[in-house]
Amino acid sequence: MATRFSRSEFLKASGCACLALPLLASRAAFGAGSPIASPFRLAVINDEISQDFGRSCEVVAREFGMAWIELRGMWNKNILDLDAKEIAEAQRILAKYELHVTDIASPLFKVDWPGAPPSKFSPKSDKFHADFGFTQQDDVLRRGIELARQFQTDRVRCFDFWRLEDQAPYRKSINEKLRDAAAVAAKSAIKLVLENEMTCNTATAAEAAQVLAAIPDPNLLLNWDPGNAAAIGETPFPNGYRLLPKGRIGHCHCKDVTRKPDGSYEWAAMGGGIIDWVGQFRALREDGYRLAASLETHWHGGGTPEESTRQSWAGMQKQLDAAEVL
């Protein structure tokens, strides 16, 4: 666990009391001690803790001491499927715990590319309660933008279609689709953050750098996920990170992986895997990154999603502390 300071000690140590004061005030109301303070927007994807949104927010705010949360699904629904009453309830819960939303973690473009051979990664069903086809993607984009505005965030996550064995014949068209979506989002002052996902066509930092170079639109940013890059065999830090345009990183997911004797990978609690997260956190800080560092647990070794996330957050705190960004 990170060291807790008194309010006066924290203000002296931070050297920026005027910036820290609002966060201190919001967390002090819960009686949970001093907040976690960092140049990053420390967060957790809510359904990595629980489908009970109130419980997720309680853990994030009162136990973890965070001021940010990432929204993907709740009450056994994908966030895109929430009705007006559920959105209002989610807004009420966020206000209760004084939590801000980093982004809408939508499943935009996590589908097969039409006309290409079926991807071996295309699932029969999505475990995040998302079941939208290619013809529905314009609606998914519009809904994601609408939710971003309702939850007062300026970014929506996207992907670039299930991974093809040979994406070269389709890459130009895929890029056009991403470019057009970013232009639509820009009309509502919303940015798209493309996640590198090992089951999609952009899986590594090397591939992400190529896509960003082909689409110079500043409204398309990268959701940098070192865990996903590592799970497909890339060394995300320092090798992969070195390739990325630092000003185009608009979000960061935090999880860890281990390499098994057969060469495959499996998820691990933060700090229990092969990724140099201390180096990665330090480099992000030094490169001026000030956006989300969002825990996406994925590891289930704690017995329950909540306990697994709790243990992974404890490991993440140690790495943030070692990188001197707490």
Side-chain angles (χ1 to χ4, degrees), residues 190-214:
I190 301 296
K191 298 181 184 298
L192 294 186
V193 286
L194 172 66
E195 180 169 346
N196 62 290
E197 158 68 56
M198 64 278 194
T199 59
C200 292
N201 287 303
T202 293
T204 64
E207 291 171 340
Q210 291 176 348
V211 172
L212 293 173

Side-chain angles (χ1 to χ4, degrees), residues 108-109 137-146 149 156 176-192 217 219-220:
L108 180 64
F109 300 146
Q137 293 307 297
D138 288 346
D139 291 334
V140 170
L141 174 59
R142 283 192 290 268
R143 180 61 169 161
I145 292 170
E146 177 185 348
R149 296 173 69 178
V156 172
E176 285 294 331
K177 191 68 173 177
L178 290 172
R179 186 182 291 110
D180 291 346
V184 170
K187 294 177 182 178
S188 297
I190 301 296
K191 298 181 184 298
L192 294 186
D217 187 340
N219 217 60
L220 180 70

